[in-house]
Amino acid sequence: MMSALLKGALLSLLLIASARADVVVIVNLLGPDYLSEIQVSKLYLGKSKHLPGQGKAYIIDMVDDSDIKREFHQKVTHKNTSQLQAYWSRLIFTGKGKPPHTVRTPELILSLVSNNENAIGYIDESLVNDSVKIAYRP
């Protein structure tokens, strides 16, 4: 009985710890040291095409059904999934924009950003390693 209680308490602590991790915006080690919310929002909404001091940005987004994508866009672009789809549909239809590249895993974002000096992506802070740097914390 005591063992079951300890296991339950440990599981609860792990769930709380994992739920507290925050999304962060990452760039290549050669990328900018800091980005503002407005800069990140403009990049992810296609209103800006370049990272400050860099070439054309390679913007990486998660697929539509991911929790981290919902959290990121809620905090940075202030749009939910439906609003994002409508936004990009309008821009694509009018020929005024192209949505960011999408990937299925945060590990792929980490790899793409670490290997491309103009790349920008977002991942859970717990996954950040020394191959990238954090440029913005929503």
Side-chain angles (χ1 to χ4, degrees):
M1 169 110 175
M2 187 66 155
S3 177
L5 287 173
L6 286 173
K7 286 180 183 176
L10 182 58
L11 181 60
S12 296
L13 288 173
L14 289 172
L15 290 173
I16 290 169
S18 66
R20 294 181 66 176
D22 291 323
V23 64
V24 292
V25 176
I26 58 170
V27 295
N28 184 278
L29 294 175
L30 300 174
D33 291 332
Y34 173 78
L35 294 169
S36 69
E37 180 179 331
I38 291 171
Q39 289 172 314
V40 175
S41 179
K42 285 183 174 182
L43 285 165
Y44 274 90
L45 293 176
K47 296 177 179 176
S48 177
K49 305 267 188 240
H50 295 83
L51 286 172
Q54 305 287 316
K56 185 173 180 181
Y58 180 68
I59 303 161
I60 308 164
D61 208 346
M62 291 291 292
V63 293
D64 286 338
D65 59 348
S66 66
D67 291 339
I68 196 163
K69 180 172 184 165
R70 282 189 285 277
E71 179 185 350
F72 171 77
H73 283 285
Q74 182 181 34
K75 290 180 176 178
V76 177
T77 65
H78 307 288
K79 294 189 183 297
N80 64 35
T81 303
S82 298
Q83 291 170 324
L84 272 175
Q85 287 174 342
Y87 178 84
W88 282 112
S89 293
R90 183 173 42 87
L91 289 181
I92 292 168
F93 182 74
T94 59
K96 294 182 178 176
K98 202 167 110 178
H101 303 275
T102 58
V103 297
R104 289 213 154 273
T105 67
E107 290 80 11
L108 188 53
I109 288 178
L110 190 63
S111 174
L112 289 169
V113 170
S114 69
N115 291 309
N116 183 334
E117 69 182 74
N118 295 330
I120 178 172
Y122 56 85
I123 59 175
D124 188 287
E125 187 172 7
S126 64
L127 299 174
V128 174
N129 61 29
D130 59 358
S131 69
V132 297
K133 61 183 171 185
I134 297 172
Y136 177 69
R137 292 175 194 270

